[in-house]
Amino acid sequence: MNPTMTALPPSFQWGVATSAYQIEGAAFEDGRTASIWDTFCRKPGAVHNGDHGDVACDHYHRMPQDVALIKSLGVDAYRFSVSWPRVQPGGRGPANPKGLAFYDRLVDELLAQGIDPWVTLYHWDLPQELEDAGGWPVRDTAYRFADYAALVFERLQDRVATFTTLNEPWCSAWLGYQVGVHAPGRRSFDDAIAAVHHLLLGHGLAMRRMRGMETRPHTYGITLNLGTADPASDSALDREAARRADGMGTRIYLDPLRYGRYPSDIVAELATPFPVRDGDLEIISTPFEVLGVNFYFGQDFAGTDEAGNTHDPDGNPIVRAIFPDTPRTAMNWPITPARFTRLLVRLHRDYPGLPMVITENGSAFADNPDISGFVADDARTAYLASHLAAVADARAQGADVRGYFAWSLLDNFEWAEGYAKRFGIVHVDYETQARTPKQSALWYRDTIARTREA
Ligand code: IFM
């Protein structure tokens, strides 16, 4: 028997994940207003092929069938995100009844099928009006997020047990405000640093608001995208680069969340201070019950550029990511399951007492559907199997990992890559919106079933 199946206990929680903008479509229906992604997609050259989420997988109109599909996989839970501009158009003021009604129906449908709904409150779709008012670099956005969280919580808390605040704040801050390859497409280091702080503050404020309103206990959490940062060699320069990469990728999120402080080595080196006010770090470090871990790959880091320089023209030390020499996915991302194990064991060691759930893990490959739409995706199946085995290994080494959500249920809008990259375990024909479970979905279903029997 596959060692994964024996090593993961019957209590392990199995799920599939999606996010609102990537699958819902109905971008301007029932009162929804634009998010930063609707705007970004219209920017020439920003998104592959000029793709956008106007229709996406049309999940907004096909939700009951999609829930039936989820049910057919035998999972315990479904992780989805709520669209902020659907629920609170413009990002301020009262809830949009039609927007909330959609998530009401979704939750009811999931519960009727015996599937546990896992809510993510923010998966990157900031209302455009809030970006126009300054976006995440502006402190007020954190307070707006807490208000929005309260609207969703008030409506769903009676039926939803798990609320996670943010998905991958590193992407929102770094890719959105520093590198500019994600919405809103800004390129400012100062903005990115301010965004990190206000995202974390928004998380803490939202959690406090929700806890203050709860009529029964809930599980709260946040999802981070985390990797491993290894030095490319044993040189002092490369070790320093790996330390900096780990600091900017992992510790600037988890240290304030768990210990109420930003990492001192990073703070000492940053030209731009985090815009911390009195009391912020207490709010940010409000205890929570589950850390969502999204893992795709680990990297090595060098302290020199390809020409051997140690500093860039602005005088900043070089931190150059190098992909390990392994097979790659269609995203050109390296496949590094052993590093996944190492990450989970390290998180357990450095941030003890925090149960973890893998809220995303998966891979894009160039799929070739047969005439019936079926995809024999050996590579994606192997990726899933090796990463589940990595989770089992981490658990065997003591890491408290309680569940796993495959990314993604459906092929969907892969942000700057548009529809060109397919992460789904279910194939979507975007012409007809037909859904066809791939081999990986059938393997996942059978693996879950066998684990339960073990
Ligand atoms: O599709 C994304 C998801 O929205 C966030 N995590 C990474 C996935 C793959 O890039």
Side-chain angles (χ1 to χ4, degrees):
M1 187 188 265
N2 177 341
T4 308
M5 297 167 199
T6 49
L8 294 170
S11 62
F12 194 74
Q13 194 178 36
W14 297 89
V16 285
T18 63
S19 89
Y21 191 70
Q22 293 181 273
I23 66 163
E24 282 180 3
F28 300 100
E29 264 177 62
D30 290 341
R32 182 188 179 280
T33 53
S35 77
I36 52 175
W37 271 96
D38 296 280
T39 308
F40 189 67
C41 289
R42 264 78 193 170
K43 211 167 130 183
V47 173
H48 174 81
N49 196 38
D51 289 346
H52 49 69
D54 284 11
V55 176
C57 304
D58 197 30
H59 170 71
Y60 191 74
H61 299 115
R62 293 163 197 264
M63 181 271 287
Q65 297 93 300
D66 286 341
V67 173
L69 184 61
I70 297 168
K71 171 79 178 166
S72 77
L73 299 176
V75 295
D76 305 294
Y78 173 51
R79 172 180 181 252
F80 62 93
S81 78
V82 173
S83 160
W84 187 347
R86 194 181 291 293
V87 160
Q88 191 189 37
R92 296 172 199 275
N96 168 24
K98 287 187 176 165
L100 271 182
F102 172 70
Y103 298 103
D104 237 1
R105 294 196 300 277
L106 171 58
V107 165
D108 286 345
E109 191 72 32
L110 289 166
L111 293 175
Q113 300 289 349
I115 300 162
D116 184 18
W118 262 61
V119 166
T120 300
L121 289 163
Y122 184 72
H123 199 123
W124 306 355
D125 42 3
L126 185 72
Q128 181 59 42
E129 290 80 351
L130 295 187
E131 173 59 21
D132 295 341
W136 285 110
V138 164
R139 188 174 175 89
D140 185 58
T141 304
Y143 292 87
R144 301 285 66 76
F145 177 64
D147 284 355
Y148 150 71
L151 293 178
V152 177
F153 187 79
E154 184 180 34
R155 183 64 168 262
L156 301 182
Q157 71 145 322
D158 59 334
R159 286 154 294 149
V160 171
T162 308
F163 286 85
T164 60
T165 54
L166 309 174
N167 178 71
E168 302 184 353
W170 179 89
C171 293
S172 300
W174 208 247
L175 301 182
Y177 289 98
Q178 155 69 11
V179 189
V181 294
H182 276 191
R186 286 200 235 167
R187 291 184 187 199
S188 154
F189 186 77
D190 291 3
D191 284 350
I193 291 294
V196 168
H197 184 66
H198 296 139
L199 282 154
L200 291 173
L201 182 64
H203 153 83
L205 290 168
M207 267 206 333
R208 288 186 169 197
R209 283 285 285 284
M210 292 190 285
R211 271 202 214 284
M213 294 166 66
E214 68 182 9
T215 54
R216 62 181 188 128
H218 291 80
T219 298
Y220 300 96
I222 182 169
T223 282
L224 304 177
N225 53 313
L226 300 170
T228 47
D230 292 312
S233 79
D234 210 24
S235 75
L237 273 174
D238 290 354
R239 280 189 276 116
E240 277 293 276
R243 174 188 60 75
R244 290 195 174 100
D246 182 63
M248 293 298 286
T250 298
R251 290 182 288 118
I252 64 166
Y253 300 97
L254 275 170
D255 284 14
L257 285 166
R258 289 300 279 169
Y259 301 128
R261 53 169 163 69
Y262 284 107
S264 54
D265 59 323
I266 297 298
V267 170
E269 289 174 0
L270 280 183
T272 312
F274 291 102
V276 180
R277 295 198 192 163
D278 279 355
D280 284 3
L281 288 160
E282 285 73 42
I283 295 169
I284 290 171
S285 58
T286 303
F288 59 96
E289 286 78 26
V290 66
L291 174 65
V293 176
N294 291 359
F295 178 85
Y296 289 90
F297 58 90
Q299 301 175 90
D300 298 332
F301 288 89
T304 49
D305 65 15
E306 272 151 7
N309 300 309
T310 57
H311 288 78
D312 69 16
D314 297 329
N316 302 308
I318 299 286
V319 178
R320 177 166 57 105
I322 299 175
F323 281 176
D325 188 16
T326 67
R328 305 274 176 96
T329 69
M331 296 290 280
N332 202 27
W333 293 348
I335 301 174
T336 59
R339 295 183 192 219
F340 191 15
T341 302
R342 196 143 50 75
L343 167 71
L344 296 170
V345 172
R346 178 267 172 118
L347 293 172
H348 179 69
R349 183 194 66 217
D350 290 353
Y351 305 97
L354 184 56
M356 293 179 272
V357 165
I358 309 310
T359 36
E360 283 182 28
N361 176 239
S363 52
F365 287 101
D367 291 334
N368 291 305
D370 68 15
I371 189 101
S372 72
F374 181 74
V375 178
D377 55 343
D378 292 334
R380 188 177 289 100
T381 308
Y383 183 100
L384 269 178
S386 62
H387 286 74
L388 277 164
V391 171
D393 284 351
R395 282 176 50 92
Q397 294 176 51
D400 186 6
V401 186
R402 301 192 179 175
Y404 177 98
F405 288 80
W407 184 267
S408 179
L409 170 68
L410 301 172
D411 291 332
N412 59 48
F413 174 75
E414 177 51 27
W415 308 113
E417 304 293 338
Y419 295 96
K421 299 289 187 275
R422 292 176 177 267
F423 275 89
I425 59 173
V426 172
H427 179 262
V428 176
D429 177 334
Y430 294 114
E431 295 295 314
T432 63
Q433 291 293 350
R435 278 82 156 126
T436 311
K438 302 177 192 177
Q439 173 190 279
S440 53
L442 306 182
W443 179 89
Y444 194 53
R445 177 196 67 192
D446 294 347
T447 299
I448 296 168
R450 277 198 288 261
T451 306
R452 292 213 180 101
E453 282 160 14

